[in-house]
Amino acid sequence: MAETHSLQDMRQQAAVAAKVFLQRDYSNGTVCQFQSKFPSELETRIDKQQFEETMQTLNNLYAEAEKLGSQSYIEGCLACLTAYTVFLCMETHYEKVLKKIAKYIQEQNDKIYAPRGLLLTDPIERGLRVIEVTIFEDRSLTR
Amino acid sequence: MMKNCEYQQIDPRALSVLPQSAQNNTEKTVQRSRRKWEVFPGKNRFFCDGRIILASQSGVLPLTLGLIIVTCGLFFAFDCPFLVKHLTVFIPVIGGALFVFVVFSLLRTSFTDPGILPRATPDEAADIEKQIDTSGSSTYRPPPRTKEILINQQVVKLKYCFTCKMFRPPRTSHCSLCDNCVERFDHHCPWVGNCVGKRNYRFFYSFIISLSFLTSFIFGCVITHITLRSQEGKSLVQSIQESPARYPFLVICFFSIWSILGLSGFHTYLIASNLTTNEDIKGSWSSKRCAEESGNPYSYNSIITNCCATLCGPMPPSLIDRRGFLSLDEAIPAVSASEIELPPFTVKSDAHMCTQSTKDVLERMVHSYDVHGLCPPATPKTTPLDLEVSGPAAASSEPSLSAGCLPQDARQPVVPPCPPFSRSNKRRDSLHSINPAFRLASPSPSLSRTTFILGDAPDNGFIPLP
């Protein structure tokens, strides 16, 4: 967990200036999608296009996790036939995609957001309700 | 007290100051890292170091298991030998397979997290409260917090959950028995000892379907047994008298078949139309829209797709991360609560208080001791007038239906009813009487009705403590 260690260091060293919460977008039902509207607090910190690209990728990944396709049906039927004991040994498709999402967020944080004094929190840590963007005080820039 | 019920803006910076000051104490007092289930705010019980989750009242689950095991035991002991001899050896095999499947499904339903939503962090709650418009601080009865959104071109109202401090996602409901918001909340089933929600609905459905098959199978075998015995020369009555142990056995089977078949049929209907028991009882998408399927924005308008989506859809993960370890800043509220040594439901009743500002909640946890004398113990937000009625009902660990139903019904006239609440209640009652499935499926829906009453009461506003 070296990556979170460095992010935690950043959290401890820099003071939190503000937190922006990106809520869920329910216009397509209960599937997990987040609002990709660019929050005004981030205007000075990051490029709008970059941010929207991150959000779009995240939304696509969540859509992939919840997709009703042949793979999920096969998994569901197999689980039913084995009296759901198959989940004790096998990881579900959703969990695999969540790992992919966690890796993607970490990578985005390292490459793009941390250098700008921002931190994206994985929504799974907030119960898939919000994407929390922590804005750290920018001591390096003078305004 | 009334002054404290005014809506107050939360300054997130004030919140971030508080945990840091307590952090030094935490490092000294916490000697081992704690898992998240140990500080879980809901009324659930955890076993096997967080692997197994149960509702706080699982009183009827042993009864359910006991009934199933005893009935099957009697079947295997008394009927199988005869039937194996006269018919086929597959009878106990099929019976055994069904029994195993039933027990697995039951345990899986009971021990799985139904889709509990973790409560909002203080920062998140502060952000949400900032976004809510308030007219002013003159009234001590803040308006009910709802948010309207469009789902598939249909207006859906999202309610604000005062306990979890967030706007509930669509199809989520707060179960007062477990004190959690549960996603795609169906009902709280006392037979299973857990809520039935998004994550364990398929297990619940396979439990009731397999149980229907099992009870029908056993009943059929017993009837066959008696018939075969009577054909051997004795009369029907004589052959029943030969093994009197069969009497209670037949009675249990007969009654359980009807209720279970009814429940299975009802849930099959719900699955085919992509509804939850909660929505069906409240009539959220029904008759007033005059079109069965276009009323429900979540339906795929195809029975097969609805069934596949609910039963074979992807299995969502547990959002509460029971076995994760607490980070330092998360451990603080738990430590400060234990240092104060308030009884657990008093801490929760702090959240239930009419003062919605999280800052007040934190202040109370740290400073005031006399709060618990004023707060109703672990019930949804009601006035102290209701304490005598609701207290025993909430505090009792017996989930018996009669005890559960009566105090809640008695409480309704006491709580000054908001017009929407009483209207929806009447509609609920009429639906209850119209739908014959409810008469058959007695255990779960009636208790779920009381659960909905409990869950709905705070959403239409609340009464501050005098």
Side-chain angles (χ1 to χ4, degrees), chain B residues 219-240:
Chain B
F219 194 70
C221 288
V222 168
I223 298 292
T224 312
H225 185 178
I226 295 175
T227 316
L228 287 175
R229 266 196 201 269
S230 61
Q231 277 174 355
E232 279 177 1
K234 302 166 199 155
S235 75
L236 186 66
V237 177
Q238 220 174 357
S239 50
I240 290 179

Side-chain angles (χ1 to χ4, degrees), chain B residues 174-229:
Chain B
H174 191 94
C175 175
S176 49
L177 289 165
C178 305
D179 204 23
N180 291 315
C181 269
V182 176
E183 280 192 297
R184 204 188 185 277
F185 180 77
D186 196 84
H187 64 283
H188 182 100
C189 186
W191 298 94
V192 153
N194 201 0
C195 290
V196 177
K198 183 159 94 166
R199 296 187 75 245
N200 64 353
Y201 189 59
R202 63 192 75 188
F203 307 137
F204 176 74
Y205 186 70
S206 54
F207 166 61
I208 54 176
I209 292 287
S210 51
L211 192 61
S212 314
F213 280 120
L214 180 67
T215 45
S216 315
F217 179 74
I218 290 179
F219 194 70
C221 288
V222 168
I223 298 292
T224 312
H225 185 178
I226 295 175
T227 316
L228 287 175
R229 266 196 201 269

Side-chain angles (χ1 to χ4, degrees), chain B residues 385-461:
Chain B
L385 298 168
D386 301 333
L387 267 177
E388 306 81 48
V389 180
S390 59
S396 73
S397 56
E398 280 302 306
S400 57
L401 296 172
S402 51
C405 289
L406 289 173
Q408 318 313 338
D409 289 337
R411 201 175 54 181
Q412 282 162 27
V414 180
V415 173
C418 303
F421 176 69
S422 53
R423 258 211 307 274
S424 64
N425 203 28
K426 278 185 210 152
R427 194 171 35 153
R428 227 177 280 143
D429 285 338
S430 61
L431 275 177
H432 191 91
S433 54
I434 286 169
N435 192 341
F438 279 100
R439 294 192 199 282
L440 300 171
S442 43
S444 312
S446 57
L447 192 69
S448 60
R449 192 168 73 115
T450 57
T451 312
F452 310 148
I453 292 164
L454 292 169
D456 272 351
D459 300 336
N460 290 299

Side-chain angles (χ1 to χ4, degrees), chain A residues 8 11-12 16-17 19-31 35 41 65-69 72-77 79-88 92-95 98 123-130 132, chain B residues 13 16 23 100-101 104-105 108 117-121 123-125 127-128 131 147 149-153 158 166-171 183 198 202-203 206 297-298 300 305 308-309 311-319 327 329-330:
Chain A
Q8 268 186 348
R11 248 184 256 172
Q12 286 166 6
V16 177
K19 283 195 184 184
V20 181
F21 294 94
L22 294 153
Q23 301 285 341
R24 282 271 292 270
D25 174 20
Y26 294 114
S27 53
N28 288 327
T30 51
V31 285
Q35 288 175 356
E41 294 91 333
E66 297 195 2
K67 194 175 64 160
L68 295 173
S72 64
Y73 290 153
I74 291 171
E75 199 181 54
C77 291
C80 182
L81 289 172
T82 60
Y84 302 105
T85 50
V86 74
F87 289 142
L88 296 170
T92 65
H93 172 66
Y94 208 117
E95 282 169 358
L98 282 179
I124 193 73
E125 291 176 31
R126 298 286 177 263
L128 289 181
R129 283 190 312 266
V130 286
E132 191 179 300
Chain B
R13 280 173 293 183
S16 58
Q23 204 166 3
V100 165
F101 196 81
F104 266 37
S105 304
R108 200 65 213 254
L117 275 178
R119 296 187 184 186
T121 56
D123 294 328
E124 209 183 312
D127 186 69
I128 293 174
Q131 290 170 16
K147 190 162 80 166
I149 56 167
L150 268 181
I151 297 181
N152 290 330
Q153 280 83 51
L158 297 186
M166 60 176 177
F167 278 100
R168 282 187 212 133
R171 310 192 98 176
E183 280 192 297
K198 183 159 94 166
R202 63 192 75 188
F203 307 137
S206 54
Y298 312 110
Y300 295 94
T305 317
C308 289
L311 299 173
C312 307
M315 181 70 181
S318 174
L319 296 173
S327 59
D329 36 304
E330 284 172 327

